[in-house]
Amino acid sequence: MKKCCSNQNPDRISYLPDPVRSHIVSFLPMRDAIRTSILSKQWRHIYYSLSRLEFDQYDFTKIKHKAADFRDFVDRIVICHDGSDIQKFSLKTRLDDEFISSSRVRTWVSFALQHNVQELEMWMYYGKITNLPFRFFTCMTLRVLSLVCVEIEWPTTVRFPVLKYLYVEGLSFVQYENTIDKLFSSCTCPMLEDLVLRQCDLGVSTLSICNPSLKYLQIFDGNQLNINISVSTLHKLECIWCLPPNISSETLSSLSDAYFELSDSDLRGTAVVASQFNSVSKILLGLHNVKTLELDSTFIEFLSRGRDLLPASLPLSCCSLKHLSLGLLFRSSIHIQVIKLLLRSYPHLQTLVITVEREEYDWHLETSTSMNLTGMEDHSQLKKLAPGDTLDRLRMLEIREFEGSDSEIELVRYLLENANFLEKMNLSKAHNQQSAESQMKESEMMLAFAKVAPRVKISLS
């Protein structure tokens, strides 16, 4: 007769090698990782060898803890660590003179550097970190560095030989001349592949980025900064709240994904308008291999300011583009005509998303109307695309923030008539109106769309 096993579910995890268990526990939130020490004797000191240390003061103190408790918690983990290498060290805290001082943070950062940290993340608020160790600025192991609202003193020598990802947000470089030019250069970061630069005070009027190892670049500016980009290896570019950047032809040709959410200059005049149009036109003409493209309504507005130059200043045929997202100014018939012309450039388009924008962009409407784009008069009544220009590859159409204005309906009908193999169209309403009158209008509109393209599955939400 076989004996029944007294333990049907043996605890195999507790008897795994320490490095394996430590690696598993490293993926838990810090508080949960510490709690594993009460499981058994085998787990008592498991957090001593954690390779991922992530400390968030806000997350810690929201459960009735004080800043002093957070400080002591970090101190305990740092002091008890067994000396093994640190894969990631993340510190999100608020500096003050009483509990978490600059010298305390400097000690914690030094600990991470001494343990060959590969990923370092620092979010600091309301204070300045002084006298960071020099090895921070020349770290030989750092592959990922994220600095958010960190006020630090930058030395003249900075070098990250193996850094691949750099995220910088809310920093000021005003007092450190030429630091920003060095920081993003191939001399400082020869292996840098991903760069994110958000809302920093760079202390310069023109930023030039030309690191030949870059593959992904995001710039979130909002400070009327002139930006020059010359990177022949760049695959993805995101420009947010930027003036139209000056991008080299080699860079434009290398891009497969591009996103532009532009800001308009406070200046006005013929020269400014011409410069805006030339900049955005150059971008579109240079995107020979782009697969995914997003253009906000300001980009479309700049195109609309081209007057008679627009029809001849768009790509003849960019067959690489598959996915296109566009911003549309509410009730702007000029934007409708620009979009119609733009779509002729992308015959292999598969998905199209249009987001209708309103309210804060109302100032555009007066500008667009006053421009009276005479060169587009011959194209303003476009109903059907010319043979060979039909959107036969378009399968999915989505209109977001749809309100049913005359210009929006005009665009939808135009797309339904020219996308011969469209399969699905989604309309997301801007407002959920429940009145009987609005529901009646919606029903009539949907019926009209269905008559134009009975083969298309149309939904309104």
Side-chain angles (χ1 to χ4, degrees):
M1 185 176 181
K2 293 183 179 180
K3 293 183 178 180
C4 293
C5 178
S6 60
N7 187 356
Q8 298 293 335
N9 298 298
D11 180 10
R12 295 188 177 92
I13 296 180
S14 294
Y15 293 94
L16 289 172
D18 287 347
V20 176
R21 284 189 296 130
S22 177
H23 179 71
I24 295 173
V25 174
S26 289
F27 291 96
L28 295 174
M30 280 299 300
R31 287 179 301 175
D32 293 336
I34 301 301
R35 288 173 182 155
T36 61
S37 62
I38 66 174
L39 293 176
S40 66
K41 291 182 179 180
Q42 289 87 355
W43 292 85
R44 183 174 302 170
H45 304 301
I46 190 65
Y47 67 88
Y48 289 3
S49 59
L50 292 178
S51 60
R52 300 173 64 89
L53 302 178
E54 302 184 40
F55 305 104
D56 187 334
Q57 183 180 0
Y58 174 77
D59 183 61
F60 188 90
T61 56
K62 70 182 181 181
I63 310 181
K64 298 183 179 180
H65 290 291
K66 299 178 181 178
D69 298 326
F70 176 76
R71 177 201 61 200
D72 296 342
F73 172 72
V74 178
D75 277 344
R76 179 158 59 96
I77 300 300
V78 167
I79 293 172
C80 293
H81 199 269
D82 65 0
S84 57
D85 285 352
I86 302 293
Q87 179 185 345
K88 180 177 181 179
F89 187 87
S90 175
L91 180 63
K92 300 178 181 180
T93 187
R94 173 173 176 166
L95 294 178
D96 58 59
D97 295 330
E98 184 177 2
F99 299 111
I100 303 175
S101 63
S102 173
S103 61
R104 182 77 58 156
V105 171
R106 187 168 62 246
T107 299
W108 294 338
V109 173
S110 297
F111 158 80
L113 295 171
Q114 292 167 4
H115 291 79
N116 302 316
V117 63
Q118 296 183 37
E119 300 179 38
L120 181 60
E121 182 179 46
M122 289 194 293
W123 294 46
M124 304 292 155
Y125 304 98
Y126 307 106
K128 181 177 183 179
I129 305 176
T130 58
N131 299 319
L132 276 174
F134 181 71
R135 66 180 299 174
F136 167 78
F137 301 100
T138 58
C139 185
M140 301 291 291
T141 60
L142 208 54
R143 297 181 180 276
V144 176
L145 176 61
S146 299
L147 302 173
V148 179
C149 299
V150 183
E151 188 179 353
I152 59 180
E153 298 173 331
W154 292 90
T156 56
T157 301
V158 180
R159 181 170 173 78
F160 300 109
V162 297
L163 192 68
K164 291 192 173 184
Y165 177 91
L166 177 60
Y167 183 103
V168 183
E169 179 178 354
L171 271 64
S172 175
F173 296 88
V174 174
Q175 299 179 8
Y176 306 98
E177 188 176 359
N178 298 325
T179 296
I180 197 66
D181 292 330
K182 295 178 182 178
L183 185 58
F184 305 143
S185 70
S186 57
C187 295
T188 300
C189 304
M191 298 181 65
L192 188 63
E193 296 182 355
D194 298 342
L195 172 60
V196 179
L197 177 62
R198 298 175 62 89
Q199 296 290 66
C200 291
D201 190 351
L202 304 180
V204 295
S205 59
T206 300
L207 173 66
S208 297
I209 298 177
C210 55
N211 192 320
S213 63
L214 275 179
K215 296 180 180 178
Y216 168 72
L217 173 62
Q218 182 191 106
I219 300 178
F220 190 116
D221 176 49
N223 293 316
Q224 305 292 314
L225 184 70
N226 294 313
I227 302 170
N228 298 323
I229 304 172
S230 181
V231 184
S232 60
T233 56
L234 202 63
H235 294 163
K236 185 174 182 178
L237 173 64
E238 297 181 14
C239 292
I240 306 168
W241 277 22
C242 295
L243 294 178
N246 178 30
I247 309 173
S248 70
S249 57
E250 294 81 8
T251 302
L252 289 170
S253 184
S254 70
L255 291 173
S256 60
D257 296 88
Y259 174 87
F260 295 95
E261 182 181 336
L262 302 180
S263 63
D264 200 356
S265 172
D266 292 334
L267 302 174
R268 289 290 187 274
T270 304
V272 173
V273 169
S275 175
Q276 293 167 341
F277 172 78
N278 291 335
S279 295
V280 296
S281 175
K282 176 188 173 184
I283 289 173
L284 292 181
L285 289 171
L287 292 171
H288 301 303
N289 299 299
V290 66
K291 296 179 180 178
T292 300
L293 178 62
E294 296 187 42
L295 309 174
D296 77 324
S297 61
T298 304
F299 196 106
I300 303 300
E301 170 66 17
F302 289 168
L303 283 176
S304 74
R305 296 175 181 179
R307 296 180 179 268
D308 56 327
L309 298 176
L310 181 60
S313 300
L314 295 175
L316 291 177
S317 182
C318 178
C319 296
S320 63
L321 189 66
K322 302 296 188 296
H323 311 287
L324 178 62
S325 296
L326 301 173
L328 169 67
L329 284 184
F330 181 53
R331 292 178 181 167
S332 175
S333 59
I334 297 296
H335 280 215
I336 297 296
Q337 308 311 324
V338 171
I339 291 176
K340 286 181 180 181
L341 289 171
L342 187 60
L343 291 176
R344 296 161 66 97
S345 299
Y346 306 115
H348 289 184
L349 195 63
Q350 296 178 3
T351 62
L352 175 62
V353 177
I354 296 176
T355 302
V356 183
E357 300 173 2
R358 47 181 58 80
E359 295 178 356
E360 64 266 33
Y361 301 101
D362 281 350
W363 63 268
H364 282 297
L365 299 179
E366 180 181 350
T367 304
S368 296
T369 303
S370 63
M371 294 298 292
N372 190 19
L373 307 184
T374 56
M376 293 173 60
E377 289 177 355
D378 293 338
H379 304 272
S380 62
Q381 301 302 321
L382 284 173
K383 297 300 181 183
K384 296 289 288 185
L385 287 169
D389 287 336
T390 53
L391 297 169
D392 285 346
R393 306 292 180 91
L394 189 63
R395 297 293 184 270
M396 173 65 184
L397 171 63
E398 181 177 359
I399 312 289
R400 297 172 181 171
E401 299 297 308
F402 183 80
E403 199 165 85
S405 66
D406 291 343
S407 58
E408 291 172 275
I409 293 176
E410 176 192 350
L411 179 59
V412 171
R413 290 181 64 92
Y414 175 80
L415 291 170
L416 290 176
E417 289 172 352
N418 288 279
N420 296 325
F421 297 95
L422 187 67
E423 297 174 352
K424 188 175 182 180
M425 181 177 73
N426 294 331
L427 303 177
S428 300
K429 293 187 295 184
H431 306 288
N432 189 18
Q433 299 177 345
Q434 299 298 328
S435 67
E437 182 181 358
S438 64
Q439 291 180 1
M440 178 69 70
K441 289 182 178 179
E442 288 178 0
S443 298
E444 293 175 354
M445 179 184 65
M446 296 295 286
L447 182 60
F449 289 159
K451 289 181 178 179
V452 173
R455 65 195 176 281
V456 181
K457 181 180 179 181
I458 303 175
S459 62
L460 180 65
S461 60

mmCIF file of all heavy atoms in Angstrom, residues 355-379:
data_model
loop_
_atom_site.group_PDB
_atom_site.id
_atom_site.type_symbol
_atom_site.label_atom_id
_atom_site.label_comp_id
_atom_site.label_asym_id
_atom_site.label_seq_id
_atom_site.Cartn_x
_atom_site.Cartn_y
_atom_site.Cartn_z
ATOM 1 N N THR A 355 -8.387 63.470 -35.484
ATOM 2 C CA THR A 355 -8.880 63.994 -34.219
ATOM 3 C C THR A 355 -9.290 65.445 -34.398
ATOM 4 O O THR A 355 -8.483 66.281 -34.810
ATOM 5 C CB THR A 355 -7.793 63.899 -33.124
ATOM 6 O OG1 THR A 355 -7.386 62.532 -32.968
ATOM 7 C CG2 THR A 355 -8.328 64.408 -31.797
ATOM 8 N N VAL A 356 -10.549 65.743 -34.115
ATOM 9 C CA VAL A 356 -11.074 67.102 -34.269
ATOM 10 C C VAL A 356 -10.738 67.896 -33.012
ATOM 11 O O VAL A 356 -11.032 67.466 -31.898
ATOM 12 C CB VAL A 356 -12.593 67.085 -34.498
ATOM 13 C CG1 VAL A 356 -13.110 68.501 -34.726
ATOM 14 C CG2 VAL A 356 -12.941 66.191 -35.682
ATOM 15 N N GLU A 357 -10.109 69.046 -33.217
ATOM 16 C CA GLU A 357 -9.695 69.893 -32.097
ATOM 17 C C GLU A 357 -10.492 71.181 -32.122
ATOM 18 O O GLU A 357 -10.818 71.711 -33.177
ATOM 19 C CB GLU A 357 -8.191 70.184 -32.176
ATOM 20 C CG GLU A 357 -7.347 68.911 -32.133
ATOM 21 C CD GLU A 357 -5.877 69.183 -32.384
ATOM 22 O OE1 GLU A 357 -5.520 70.371 -32.560
ATOM 23 O OE2 GLU A 357 -5.088 68.226 -32.414
ATOM 24 N N ARG A 358 -10.769 71.732 -30.929
ATOM 25 C CA ARG A 358 -11.591 72.937 -30.824
ATOM 26 C C ARG A 358 -11.183 73.733 -29.597
ATOM 27 O O ARG A 358 -10.189 73.452 -28.963
ATOM 28 C CB ARG A 358 -13.065 72.557 -30.731
ATOM 29 C CG ARG A 358 -13.345 71.459 -29.737
ATOM 30 C CD ARG A 358 -14.813 71.082 -29.693
ATOM 31 N NE ARG A 358 -15.311 70.659 -30.971
ATOM 32 C CZ ARG A 358 -15.132 69.449 -31.478
ATOM 33 N NH1 ARG A 358 -14.440 68.546 -30.793
ATOM 34 N NH2 ARG A 358 -15.610 69.118 -32.657
ATOM 35 N N GLU A 359 -11.936 74.761 -29.290
ATOM 36 C CA GLU A 359 -11.790 75.624 -28.112
ATOM 37 C C GLU A 359 -10.452 76.340 -28.078
ATOM 38 O O GLU A 359 -10.321 77.428 -28.610
ATOM 39 C CB GLU A 359 -12.016 74.809 -26.824
ATOM 40 C CG GLU A 359 -13.435 74.289 -26.717
ATOM 41 C CD GLU A 359 -13.660 73.445 -25.488
ATOM 42 O OE1 GLU A 359 -12.679 73.208 -24.755
ATOM 43 O OE2 GLU A 359 -14.799 73.025 -25.271
ATOM 44 N N GLU A 360 -9.415 75.728 -27.469
ATOM 45 C CA GLU A 360 -8.169 76.446 -27.288
ATOM 46 C C GLU A 360 -7.501 76.787 -28.603
ATOM 47 O O GLU A 360 -6.547 77.544 -28.642
ATOM 48 C CB GLU A 360 -7.207 75.646 -26.406
ATOM 49 C CG GLU A 360 -6.746 74.311 -26.985
ATOM 50 C CD GLU A 360 -7.607 73.155 -26.525
ATOM 51 O OE1 GLU A 360 -8.822 73.396 -26.329
ATOM 52 O OE2 GLU A 360 -7.078 72.057 -26.340
ATOM 53 N N TYR A 361 -7.967 76.201 -29.699
ATOM 54 C CA TYR A 361 -7.357 76.484 -30.996
ATOM 55 C C TYR A 361 -8.199 77.442 -31.845
ATOM 56 O O TYR A 361 -7.948 77.615 -33.028
ATOM 57 C CB TYR A 361 -7.140 75.183 -31.772
ATOM 58 C CG TYR A 361 -6.260 74.200 -31.040
ATOM 59 C CD1 TYR A 361 -6.812 73.128 -30.344
ATOM 60 C CD2 TYR A 361 -4.886 74.358 -31.034
ATOM 61 C CE1 TYR A 361 -6.007 72.236 -29.663
ATOM 62 C CE2 TYR A 361 -4.070 73.462 -30.358
ATOM 63 C CZ TYR A 361 -4.623 72.408 -29.675
ATOM 64 O OH TYR A 361 -3.828 71.527 -29.004
ATOM 65 N N ASP A 362 -9.176 78.101 -31.245
ATOM 66 C CA ASP A 362 -10.068 78.950 -32.021
ATOM 67 C C ASP A 362 -9.347 80.087 -32.726
ATOM 68 O O ASP A 362 -9.795 80.572 -33.764
ATOM 69 C CB ASP A 362 -11.158 79.540 -31.110
ATOM 70 C CG ASP A 362 -12.256 78.527 -30.821
ATOM 71 O OD1 ASP A 362 -12.248 77.475 -31.475
ATOM 72 O OD2 ASP A 362 -13.091 78.783 -29.942
ATOM 73 N N TRP A 363 -8.191 80.531 -32.166
ATOM 74 C CA TRP A 363 -7.479 81.644 -32.800
ATOM 75 C C TRP A 363 -7.020 81.294 -34.196
ATOM 76 O O TRP A 363 -6.811 82.163 -35.043
ATOM 77 C CB TRP A 363 -6.280 82.055 -31.952
ATOM 78 C CG TRP A 363 -5.242 80.982 -31.815
ATOM 79 C CD1 TRP A 363 -5.165 80.051 -30.831
ATOM 80 C CD2 TRP A 363 -4.139 80.723 -32.696
ATOM 81 N NE1 TRP A 363 -4.080 79.228 -31.038
ATOM 82 C CE2 TRP A 363 -3.439 79.618 -32.166
ATOM 83 C CE3 TRP A 363 -3.678 81.313 -33.877
ATOM 84 C CZ2 TRP A 363 -2.309 79.094 -32.781
ATOM 85 C CZ3 TRP A 363 -2.555 80.798 -34.485
ATOM 86 C CH2 TRP A 363 -1.883 79.700 -33.931
ATOM 87 N N HIS A 364 -6.848 80.013 -34.469
ATOM 88 C CA HIS A 364 -6.416 79.595 -35.805
ATOM 89 C C HIS A 364 -7.449 79.959 -36.870
ATOM 90 O O HIS A 364 -7.100 80.233 -38.014
ATOM 91 C CB HIS A 364 -6.227 78.077 -35.850
ATOM 92 C CG HIS A 364 -4.947 77.621 -35.224
ATOM 93 N ND1 HIS A 364 -3.715 77.980 -35.708
ATOM 94 C CD2 HIS A 364 -4.718 76.808 -34.165
ATOM 95 C CE1 HIS A 364 -2.768 77.400 -34.979
ATOM 96 N NE2 HIS A 364 -3.350 76.699 -34.040
ATOM 97 N N LEU A 365 -8.715 79.918 -36.481
ATOM 98 C CA LEU A 365 -9.765 80.055 -37.475
ATOM 99 C C LEU A 365 -9.712 81.411 -38.171
ATOM 100 O O LEU A 365 -9.849 81.514 -39.378
ATOM 101 C CB LEU A 365 -11.132 79.853 -36.799
ATOM 102 C CG LEU A 365 -11.338 78.483 -36.149
ATOM 103 C CD1 LEU A 365 -12.709 78.433 -35.493
ATOM 104 C CD2 LEU A 365 -11.172 77.374 -37.162
ATOM 105 N N GLU A 366 -9.491 82.462 -37.374
ATOM 106 C CA GLU A 366 -9.403 83.797 -37.958
ATOM 107 C C GLU A 366 -8.206 83.887 -38.891
ATOM 108 O O GLU A 366 -8.290 84.456 -39.990
ATOM 109 C CB GLU A 366 -9.279 84.836 -36.842
ATOM 110 C CG GLU A 366 -9.192 86.265 -37.358
ATOM 111 C CD GLU A 366 -9.043 87.264 -36.231
ATOM 112 O OE1 GLU A 366 -9.197 86.864 -35.057
ATOM 113 O OE2 GLU A 366 -8.779 88.447 -36.519
ATOM 114 N N THR A 367 -7.069 83.315 -38.453
ATOM 115 C CA THR A 367 -5.861 83.350 -39.274
ATOM 116 C C THR A 367 -6.087 82.623 -40.591
ATOM 117 O O THR A 367 -5.749 83.109 -41.662
ATOM 118 C CB THR A 367 -4.691 82.704 -38.521
ATOM 119 O OG1 THR A 367 -4.522 83.352 -37.272
ATOM 120 C CG2 THR A 367 -3.406 82.811 -39.322
ATOM 121 N N SER A 368 -6.674 81.438 -40.530
ATOM 122 C CA SER A 368 -6.881 80.656 -41.736
ATOM 123 C C SER A 368 -7.823 81.354 -42.702
ATOM 124 O O SER A 368 -7.585 81.389 -43.903
ATOM 125 C CB SER A 368 -7.439 79.276 -41.367
ATOM 126 O OG SER A 368 -6.508 78.553 -40.607
ATOM 127 N N THR A 369 -8.901 81.912 -42.171
ATOM 128 C CA THR A 369 -9.868 82.570 -43.035
ATOM 129 C C THR A 369 -9.265 83.785 -43.727
ATOM 130 O O THR A 369 -9.475 84.018 -44.913
ATOM 131 C CB THR A 369 -11.091 82.997 -42.211
ATOM 132 O OG1 THR A 369 -11.636 81.849 -41.573
ATOM 133 C CG2 THR A 369 -12.141 83.636 -43.098
ATOM 134 N N SER A 370 -8.483 84.545 -42.960
ATOM 135 C CA SER A 370 -7.910 85.752 -43.540
ATOM 136 C C SER A 370 -6.869 85.437 -44.593
ATOM 137 O O SER A 370 -6.582 86.264 -45.445
ATOM 138 C CB SER A 370 -7.271 86.610 -42.435
ATOM 139 O OG SER A 370 -6.185 85.908 -41.828
ATOM 140 N N MET A 371 -6.303 84.236 -44.560
ATOM 141 C CA MET A 371 -5.289 83.884 -45.542
ATOM 142 C C MET A 371 -5.909 83.733 -46.931
ATOM 143 O O MET A 371 -5.291 84.031 -47.932
ATOM 144 C CB MET A 371 -4.599 82.574 -45.151
ATOM 145 C CG MET A 371 -3.781 82.657 -43.867
ATOM 146 S SD MET A 371 -2.441 83.816 -43.990
ATOM 147 C CE MET A 371 -1.406 82.958 -45.169
ATOM 148 N N ASN A 372 -7.158 83.221 -47.009
ATOM 149 C CA ASN A 372 -7.844 83.040 -48.301
ATOM 150 C C ASN A 372 -6.920 82.379 -49.317
ATOM 151 O O ASN A 372 -6.466 82.992 -50.283
ATOM 152 C CB ASN A 372 -8.345 84.384 -48.833
ATOM 153 C CG ASN A 372 -9.260 84.186 -50.038
ATOM 154 O OD1 ASN A 372 -9.777 83.095 -50.248
ATOM 155 N ND2 ASN A 372 -9.454 85.233 -50.806
ATOM 156 N N LEU A 373 -6.621 81.128 -49.115
ATOM 157 C CA LEU A 373 -5.590 80.431 -49.884
ATOM 158 C C LEU A 373 -5.983 80.322 -51.350
ATOM 159 O O LEU A 373 -6.608 79.365 -51.792
ATOM 160 C CB LEU A 373 -5.344 79.040 -49.285
ATOM 161 C CG LEU A 373 -5.044 79.069 -47.778
ATOM 162 C CD1 LEU A 373 -4.724 77.678 -47.292
ATOM 163 C CD2 LEU A 373 -3.901 80.004 -47.467
ATOM 164 N N THR A 374 -5.585 81.305 -52.111
ATOM 165 C CA THR A 374 -6.023 81.401 -53.503
ATOM 166 C C THR A 374 -5.523 80.253 -54.345
ATOM 167 O O THR A 374 -6.194 79.834 -55.285
ATOM 168 C CB THR A 374 -5.531 82.728 -54.101
ATOM 169 O OG1 THR A 374 -4.092 82.790 -53.954
ATOM 170 C CG2 THR A 374 -6.135 83.904 -53.357
ATOM 171 N N GLY A 375 -4.336 79.742 -54.037
ATOM 172 C CA GLY A 375 -3.766 78.672 -54.852
ATOM 173 C C GLY A 375 -4.508 77.368 -54.717
ATOM 174 O O GLY A 375 -4.270 76.436 -55.485
ATOM 175 N N MET A 376 -5.412 77.283 -53.726
ATOM 176 C CA MET A 376 -6.154 76.043 -53.510
ATOM 177 C C MET A 376 -7.566 76.132 -54.071
ATOM 178 O O MET A 376 -8.352 75.215 -53.918
ATOM 179 C CB MET A 376 -6.209 75.731 -52.009
ATOM 180 C CG MET A 376 -4.858 75.401 -51.412
ATOM 181 S SD MET A 376 -4.935 75.231 -49.633
ATOM 182 C CE MET A 376 -6.109 73.901 -49.472
ATOM 183 N N GLU A 377 -7.911 77.224 -54.706
ATOM 184 C CA GLU A 377 -9.281 77.382 -55.196
ATOM 185 C C GLU A 377 -9.648 76.287 -56.190
ATOM 186 O O GLU A 377 -10.781 75.800 -56.201
ATOM 187 C CB GLU A 377 -9.436 78.769 -55.838
ATOM 188 C CG GLU A 377 -9.412 79.896 -54.807
ATOM 189 C CD GLU A 377 -9.491 81.260 -55.450
ATOM 190 O OE1 GLU A 377 -9.474 81.311 -56.696
ATOM 191 O OE2 GLU A 377 -9.579 82.257 -54.725
ATOM 192 N N ASP A 378 -8.697 75.891 -57.026
ATOM 193 C CA ASP A 378 -8.987 74.859 -58.021
ATOM 194 C C ASP A 378 -9.189 73.501 -57.374
ATOM 195 O O ASP A 378 -9.750 72.597 -57.988
ATOM 196 C CB ASP A 378 -7.834 74.769 -59.032
ATOM 197 C CG ASP A 378 -7.729 76.028 -59.878
ATOM 198 O OD1 ASP A 378 -8.733 76.748 -59.977
ATOM 199 O OD2 ASP A 378 -6.636 76.283 -60.417
ATOM 200 N N HIS A 379 -8.720 73.352 -56.129
ATOM 201 C CA HIS A 379 -8.792 72.051 -55.456
ATOM 202 C C HIS A 379 -9.872 72.038 -54.377
ATOM 203 O O HIS A 379 -10.157 71.001 -53.801
ATOM 204 C CB HIS A 379 -7.442 71.726 -54.814
ATOM 205 C CG HIS A 379 -6.302 71.744 -55.781
ATOM 206 N ND1 HIS A 379 -5.923 70.642 -56.500
ATOM 207 C CD2 HIS A 379 -5.461 72.749 -56.153
ATOM 208 C CE1 HIS A 379 -4.879 70.957 -57.281
ATOM 209 N NE2 HIS A 379 -4.581 72.219 -57.076
#
